[in-house]
Structure formats: C-alpha cells, structure tokens
Amino acid sequence: MKPRIFLVFLAMTLLVRAEEPARTVHGRDGITLPPPPATRVMPVDDKFGDTTVTDPYRWLEDDKSPETRAWINREMSYTEKYLSQVKIRPEIKKRLTQLLKVESFGIPSEYNGTYFFTRRLANENQGSIYLRKGLAGTDERLIDATKLSKDQNTSVTINDISDDGGLLVYGVREGGADEESVHLYDVTARKELADVLPPARYSGISLSPDKKALYYAKVNPDGTQVFLHSLGADANGDQMIFGKKVGDEVLGQLDLMSAEVTENGRYLIISVAHGVPAKRVDIYAKDLRVADAPVKPIIHGLDNQFQVLNHEDDLYVLTDNNAANYRVVKVALADSAPEKWQVIVPEGKDVISGLSIAGGKLFATGLHDVVTQTRIFSLAGKEIGQLSYPTLGSASEVRGRDKSNESFYSFESFNLPPTIYHYDVATGTATVFAKPQVPFASDDYEVKQVFYQSKDGTRIPMFISSKKGIARDGSAKALIFAYGGFNVSLVPSWNAEYAWWMEQGGYYAQPNLRGGGEYGESWHKAAMFEKKQNVFDDLFAAAQYLIDNKYTPNSRLAIRGRSNGGLLTGVALTQRPDLWGAIWCGYPLLDMTRFQRFLVGKWWTTEYGSAEDPEQFKYLVKYSPYQNVKKGTKYPAVMFHTGDADTRVAPLHARKMTALVQADDGSDRPVLLHYDTKAGHSAGVSIMKLVDDTADELSFLWNETDPK
C-alpha cells in the first residue's frame, strides 16, 4: 500500500469510529461513564496456511512507543473514573487492610538449633529475614526489606544457608518481576559481603560445601546454563559448568535448569526440564568430593517427570514413570539404570504431589479428592504413620533436613489463615510455631466439597465456602476462581479477598478443572493441546451447577483468573458471555496465535502447542479469545489487569484485548483496563499496594454483580 493511500485508509478508519453513535456506559449502582477512549485501528494480516488472521491492534504490542504509553494513560484515567464512583470501595479497602496488615511468618529452616525465616510485622509492608536461636528464642532481624526501597515494593527471599548457619544467600526482587538479584550475608560477622549477582531469572542457588563459591542456574537469551561463582570474584567472569550442549544434544530456550548442592555436600544435582510443563526431565550429578569430576547423566531421555532428593549416595525420586498418579523410587547414583530402580512408595489411587526427607524419614504428601494427606515412610519404604490435620484444608510439604529431627509445615483452608507447625520427627509431635492473628471469625464459616458433571460426563470436584446458614434461594452473589493447566492443583487456601466476599454473604467457589494436577498426570493431559476445550467446558459446567442449585443467578456470578487462568476467563468472556455478571481477567494470555513470540511464551508451547504448527493452529485459533471477539455481542462487565512489571506473560495481550472488546461490545457494560507499572506476575509488592489493587478488583466485581 502506498503511503498516500494508507493515510486515506487510516483517516477513513478513524472517521468510521467517530461516526458510530456514542453510547453511555452503565455500571451497576448508578455508575455512568462516557464511551471508552477511541483506539486507532491499523489492521495487520497474518497468513497461517490458507487462513488469514487480521490483527486490528498490532501497534499496541510496542509498549515503548509514545503512542502506546499515551493510550495506557487514557485507559487508566477511564478506569479511575469508574473506580471513583464505586461507593463500597472505601469500606473494602478498610477491611482488606485489617485482614492483610497482620504479622506473618514464612516456614523456617533449622541449622543446628538456629532458625531462619521471613517475618513481616503488622505495621510493615514487606517481610524481612530473621534469625532465632532456639524455638523459644528472641527474633533478630538480619535483612530489613522495609529499607530497600522508598515505595516498599522490594521484597527478599532466602535462597540458601550454609550448613553451619554462618552464611546466608538471599534474593532481592523489585515489585512483581520474575527477576531477582542475589546477595550474601555473613551471619557470624553480621555484615553484607561484596558479592552480588545481577538481576536475572535464577533457578537453584546453592553454596558450595566449603562456602567459597556459589552454584546457580541462570536463564540467558540462548537458554539456561549452570555457573560457578567464586566468592570475591567478579560475577561477569563466572564459569559455566553445564549447558548449551550435552553430548550430541543441543540445549536451548525450552530447556530450563536448576542446580542444587545436596545437604550432605557430596553432589551437585542438576535438573533439566524440557518445556513448561516439562515433557521430559533429565537429572545429572557432579561428585563434589572429586576434583574436576564431570557432570554425569543419572536419568536421561525418558519422557517423564522426575523430582529428586538425595540421601547418602542414593536419590529418592518422585516420578510419573509407569505411574500416572506418581510413585517414589530409589536410584543409586553409582548405577542408575531404570531396571535397577527400587520402588519405595508404589503408585496408588491418590496422587503423590510432593516428597521430602526429614530426620531420616520420608514424607509423601498427596491429595485425596484435592484434600492434603501426608504419609510417613522409612527410607526402606515401610509406611509408619501419617500426619493428621485439623479440618478440610491443605498443608505444605514437610520441610526439614535429613540429619535433623526439626521440621515444619503449614496448614490452611478457605476459612483458616495459614498456621505454621513445628513437627518433631522423633516423637511425632506437632506444635504451633506461628499463627497470624487475623480478625476473621473462622467458626462462622463452612467449607463444603461437591462434585458435578462436565459436558462429556467427567466428574469434577468443586469447593464451595460461605457463611454458615445462608439460604440457598438463588439470590446470593458467587465468585469463582479457577485455573486448569500446567499440572497445578488448586487446594483449599486462605485468601483475604475471598474472606471479604464471604463476609458480605457471598459464596466462594473453586472448581478443580482438568489440566491441573489434582488427579495426577492423566488429569493434566486431559486438557492439554487439542484437548484444552475440556477446561473451558469444566468451568461452564461449574457455573451452571451454581445457577441450577440456587447458589446464585448468572447476573450475580463473578469469575476471576490470572495467567493461564486469565486465558480461562478470556475464553469465558468470548464463548459464554451469558453466564457471568462480571469477569476479572488478570495477567492473561489472550492472543494464542502469537503468545510464543514474546518474553518466555515459547516455554508454554509444551502445554498449548504453537500456531506455527499448522495442525496446532487449527485448535488454538478456535478458542483464542482475541480471535473470537464478535462485533455486537453483549459482553458482561470485564476488567483486564496487567502491568509493565509482568516479565512472564506479555502485557500486550491485555492491551490489545481491551481495545478490541471496547470497540466491538454490543452492551453498555464497563470494559476496563487496570494497568500498573509496579505489580507483576510474581509476588513481592508492598502490602498497601496489594490492598489497593485487591480493593480495585473487588470493587469492580462486587459492584458489577449487583442486580441493577
């Protein structure tokens, strides 16, 4: 197209929008807005075989252009006009502040009677790193996260601690970005070391047994590699010890690694996951007792999942190899041939989801109908007991050390804030280590589990939580949160957002859709690639169950999801707009023809496939939300949420989708973009920032599920 003709076309495109009748946007409870900001249409055609796909807002993919930044500012001003009119927002913010601004603890790690953990005081925005000598000792703050940034959006995490407890490795993350910088702290001398690894995606950061070096895996543009950093040396000169190529196999961007020095200091264990989720995991080991020992393959070339723990010269391995619900096998590092593997915990009817060793015992944590169960075994495989939990809920894995009887775990549910327990492996005694004093009347609420049928007859579990004694007459509001992907299990867990919803008399529902890990790898695979529609059908059936069983009408039903769950809510918007009163779509993938081109999107082609494959394009474009917005359809109220700090799912998805739905929507309901420069995909923002963002979300969802 010649420039002159293009300019005429562009002018005509803008003229068409200008001549369309201006429509007043009506939110619930009397909120009115002018039409959303006009967005320039500049179509780009992509060819996929014989199919042409038109992208009207390709220019919004460039987040650095002044025009895109100006567009973001206009959209946020529009969203702020809406939020300023929500009458209940101040009340929501006040209550969320009460629920979230409480003292909280992370699960401790014990080293010779000294405990390291994160702790956030009630009046603080970030958790700091503390040390305590003895269970009843006094807490000492080592790393003060509240002083790392003026806006309090900088967080810290514990990466590793030396065996003697004298050296701490910790990470510093800005806002919600995935990247972190790595720092070292001399606990004995109470001072920072000069060594700093610059911000990057790290996976597995371990001190060498002699405390003179760090092993770490780092994601680089050409893939992940494992490095050795000598303390006191310039990080730019760190030695790569593994990566790029193993034998004849070239490793690239889809091959993600982690590195960990075993507790006994004998080995460096390297895991290579091929894709996210991994279609194959390889395990390598380097004997640290032998100078210049090579990195040797231990488990290689099998299309299965492998998670490993070390004990002496053996690996205890959690795997789906010949076991869709997972089993535990012992693999000798000296002879790791599969025919030599010893079964320690055989596959059962319930999935095993986690494994740990503490005090010389093996803890296998799993799910029975999505409720945590933890069985205890000897290292020879004899079952010797199990942990008991107070009610229907979820527990973390037992965290401890092989040579210590000190261990910890947390337990929580939808009506119970997380409590951390100290567990004595020798005596089997559990006592409370830390319990947050959240002002929430847990006993006034109940958690139930129901089962419903999906479109193809599959039995799907769903948790429903609420105040006790609510009349089920079809008048209450209900909020669904779901995910359905990447082998992620949604278990009963505490969230101040859902607690507030229930306090108002609403139901909170959490269905366990296929694609997750609740029933093992077969449950996961039932919603991958061309079977992804199963996830969406499972969700729609959950909504219909709530409506048919008089929990709520569709006009008072809200749904929220983020990341892969953002894709889920995007499809909910485009495939079944009639089911929902309001939708919150957070950090979403929405253009499934292009997701693999941006940030780390290529990783997820092992879950979704890629439009670059002609056969996979056919099913991706069929459900891709951005390609399935239909002009004139009456969509429910929707808020898209993203921001510049999301370095995982490209914010361009939410930008383009906002523009498209605003332009093509046939209803008068609000279509909003909540865009942030601080919050990102990972946790780490300040408590007050979390309060503000959650209040915005709840204000929208609660207001837009009012009847009028």
Side-chain angles (χ1 to χ4, degrees):
M1 184 179 289
K2 295 181 180 180
R4 177 185 174 87
I5 298 175
F6 172 75
L7 291 173
V8 171
F9 171 79
L10 178 57
M12 289 177 64
T13 302
L14 293 175
L15 180 63
V16 169
R17 277 197 59 90
E19 289 178 348
E20 290 176 353
R23 55 183 174 84
T24 301
V25 173
H26 294 281
R28 301 308 192 206
D29 198 22
I31 291 178
T32 60
L33 291 171
T39 303
R40 176 166 65 91
V41 178
M42 187 177 175
V44 175
D45 288 341
D46 292 320
K47 292 286 289 184
F48 295 90
D50 296 331
T51 304
T52 298
V53 175
T54 300
D55 185 347
Y57 300 107
R58 181 68 57 84
W59 65 271
L60 280 173
E61 290 184 354
D62 183 1
D63 63 342
K64 299 294 192 296
S65 78
E67 187 177 6
T68 299
R69 303 315 299 184
W71 179 87
I72 291 170
N73 291 336
R74 290 195 300 272
E75 289 289 342
M76 271 308 296
S77 294
Y78 187 68
T79 299
E80 287 161 5
K81 284 180 184 177
Y82 172 90
L83 293 170
S84 67
Q85 298 179 64
V86 181
K87 299 181 182 68
I88 199 174
R89 190 184 185 282
E91 177 187 322
I92 294 174
K93 183 175 179 179
K94 179 181 178 181
R95 182 60 179 142
L96 286 175
T97 301
Q98 294 168 346
L99 291 170
L100 287 167
K101 293 211 76 172
V102 296
E103 185 177 37
S104 65
F105 287 76
I107 296 178
S109 297
E110 181 267 339
Y111 291 81
N112 299 317
T114 298
Y115 305 84
F116 295 83
F117 50 89
T118 57
R119 177 187 178 191
R120 178 177 55 78
L121 304 183
N123 63 344
E124 293 180 335
N125 274 306
Q126 290 288 354
S128 297
I129 297 175
Y130 282 79
L131 171 152
R132 180 190 296 184
K133 293 188 175 181
L135 274 175
T138 301
D139 293 350
E140 178 188 352
R141 193 189 311 240
L142 297 179
I143 310 298
D144 190 345
T146 66
K147 296 180 179 179
L148 295 179
S149 64
K150 290 182 179 180
D151 64 6
Q152 303 276 290
N153 283 309
T154 301
S155 60
V156 296
T157 55
I158 297 173
N159 287 326
D160 196 22
I161 301 162
S162 64
D163 189 60
D164 61 2
L167 191 57
L168 165 70
V169 185
Y170 68 96
V172 176
R173 175 178 285 121
E174 301 289 340
D178 286 357
E179 293 79 6
E180 65 176 334
S181 57
V182 179
H183 303 251
L184 290 101
Y185 183 83
D186 187 327
V187 178
T188 304
R190 299 298 196 270
K191 69 175 184 179
E192 292 277 345
L193 299 186
D195 297 78
V196 177
L197 302 183
R201 278 188 173 91
Y202 296 98
S203 178
I205 303 168
S206 289
L207 283 162
S208 62
D210 61 8
K211 300 192 298 182
K212 294 181 179 180
L214 273 180
Y215 292 95
Y216 63 89
K218 177 183 176 183
V219 178
N220 289 315
D222 59 343
T224 310
Q225 290 101 42
V226 178
F227 293 87
L228 176 65
H229 169 74
S230 298
L231 299 194
D234 188 338
N236 291 322
D238 288 354
Q239 174 191 358
M240 188 187 81
I241 63 171
F242 185 85
K244 295 189 177 181
K245 191 174 182 180
V246 180
D248 295 330
E249 183 178 12
V250 177
L251 302 176
Q253 291 179 319
L254 289 180
D255 306 307
L256 307 178
M257 303 175 193
S258 65
E260 182 178 8
V261 174
T262 58
E263 179 187 326
N264 58 27
R266 296 181 183 182
Y267 300 97
L268 174 70
I269 303 295
I270 298 172
S271 298
V272 181
H274 301 273
V276 179
K279 60 183 179 181
R280 170 183 134 210
V281 176
D282 295 326
I283 306 297
Y284 299 83
K286 176 182 173 66
D287 192 332
L288 299 179
R289 297 166 296 180
V290 179
D292 299 321
V295 176
K296 293 183 177 181
I298 304 300
I299 301 172
H300 184 271
L302 300 176
D303 288 338
N304 293 107
Q305 308 293 316
F306 297 96
Q307 301 175 33
V308 303
L309 297 171
N310 168 248
H311 173 76
E312 296 182 346
D313 292 316
D314 296 318
L315 296 181
Y316 284 77
V317 184
L318 178 63
T319 180
D320 67 335
N321 175 264
N322 296 322
N325 287 339
Y326 290 80
R327 60 177 178 156
V328 180
V329 297
K330 184 167 75 170
V331 177
L333 284 160
D335 186 357
S336 60
E339 60 271 18
K340 299 291 183 67
W341 296 355
Q342 177 186 347
V343 177
I344 300 297
V345 182
E347 179 188 19
K349 293 182 179 179
D350 295 321
V351 64
I352 305 173
S353 54
L355 195 67
S356 57
I357 295 176
K361 294 178 182 177
L362 186 72
F363 294 82
T365 299
L367 298 174
H368 174 73
D369 282 336
V370 205
V371 177
T372 301
Q373 58 180 7
T374 301
R375 295 178 292 160
I376 308 171
F377 296 84
S378 71
L379 293 179
K382 180 182 178 181
E383 187 165 354
I384 54 180
Q386 64 180 43
L387 295 184
S388 60
Y389 299 118
T391 186
L392 186 155
S394 63
S396 70
E397 295 176 14
V398 176
R399 300 184 187 177
R401 307 179 75 211
D402 192 354
K403 62 183 178 183
S404 172
N405 286 319
E406 305 262 10
S407 67
F408 296 86
Y409 64 88
S410 68
F411 182 85
E412 62 189 295
S413 192
F414 300 117
N415 60 340
L416 288 175
T419 295
I420 298 174
Y421 292 87
H422 171 264
Y423 182 75
D424 188 315
V425 178
T427 64
T429 303
T431 55
V432 173
F433 176 82
K435 183 177 182 179
Q437 300 303 305
V438 181
F440 181 78
S442 296
D443 292 341
D444 295 342
Y445 298 82
E446 62 184 357
V447 179
K448 296 181 178 180
Q449 188 179 43
V450 300
F451 294 84
Y452 64 91
Q453 281 196 341
S454 189
K455 182 179 179 179
D456 63 0
T458 300
R459 182 174 179 261
I460 311 293
M462 176 165 61
F463 294 105
I464 303 175
S465 306
S466 68
K467 280 184 177 179
K468 292 178 179 177
I470 292 181
R472 233 170 66 198
D473 57 8
S475 65
K477 296 186 181 187
L479 172 63
I480 293 176
F481 173 69
Y483 191 78
F486 292 90
N487 202 30
V488 173
S489 300
L490 289 191
V491 294
S493 57
W494 168 259
N495 189 308
E497 181 172 2
Y498 310 147
W500 181 89
W501 191 276
M502 291 189 291
E503 283 182 332
Q504 314 314 305
Y507 287 101
Y508 171 65
Q510 186 169 291
N512 296 101
L513 315 179
R514 281 173 285 182
E518 291 87 347
Y519 292 102
E521 193 59 29
S522 58
W523 193 255
H524 173 213
K525 289 179 178 177
M528 292 174 65
F529 300 115
E530 76 281 358
K531 297 177 182 178
K532 190 67 177 175
Q533 185 63 39
N534 284 335
V535 177
F536 314 135
D537 291 340
D538 292 354
L539 173 66
F540 304 153
Q544 200 63 54
Y545 178 93
L546 294 174
I547 294 167
D548 292 345
N549 288 275
K550 304 298 183 183
Y551 286 94
T552 189
N554 61 333
S555 62
R556 311 200 84 184
L557 178 58
I559 182 173
R560 71 180 301 270
R562 51 182 292 151
S563 192
N564 175 73
L567 167 62
L568 179 71
T569 52
V571 173
L573 175 73
T574 52
Q575 288 193 9
R576 289 298 307 273
D578 58 302
L579 274 179
W580 328 100
I583 294 175
W584 183 84
C585 183
Y587 307 100
L589 292 100
L590 296 167
D591 184 349
M592 297 304 289
T593 69
R594 290 175 62 76
F595 77 92
Q596 73 281 359
R597 297 171 178 263
F598 303 98
L599 299 180
V600 297
K602 187 173 289 187
W603 293 354
W604 312 319
T605 57
T606 55
E607 174 88 3
Y608 302 124
S610 169
E612 294 164 21
D613 181 311
E615 291 304 310
Q616 294 176 340
F617 164 77
K618 293 176 183 178
Y619 65 76
L620 284 166
V621 76
K622 189 174 181 179
Y623 73 74
S624 178
Y626 187 63
Q627 280 73 38
N628 284 281
V629 175
K630 295 178 175 61
K631 190 170 183 64
T633 298
K634 293 185 177 181
Y635 291 108
V638 57
M639 175 182 281
F640 299 101
H641 189 125
T642 189
D644 291 332
D646 190 348
T647 56
R648 194 179 310 177
V649 176
L652 64 89
H653 291 272
R655 294 196 297 265
K656 295 200 304 180
M657 190 73 169
T658 299
L660 184 58
V661 179
Q662 286 179 342
D664 288 357
D665 189 12
S667 78
D668 64 349
R669 303 297 303 284
V671 178
L672 307 173
L673 176 65
H674 192 294
Y675 200 94
D676 205 307
T677 58
K678 288 292 182 184
H681 214 94
S682 298
V685 296
S686 71
I687 288 297
M688 288 316 299
K689 175 62 179 167
L690 179 62
V691 166
D692 281 336
D693 286 348
T694 307
D696 289 347
E697 177 190 337
L698 275 176
S699 297
F700 170 77
L701 292 174
W702 189 262
N703 193 75
E704 293 308 313
T705 47
D706 275 339
K708 59 182 179 179

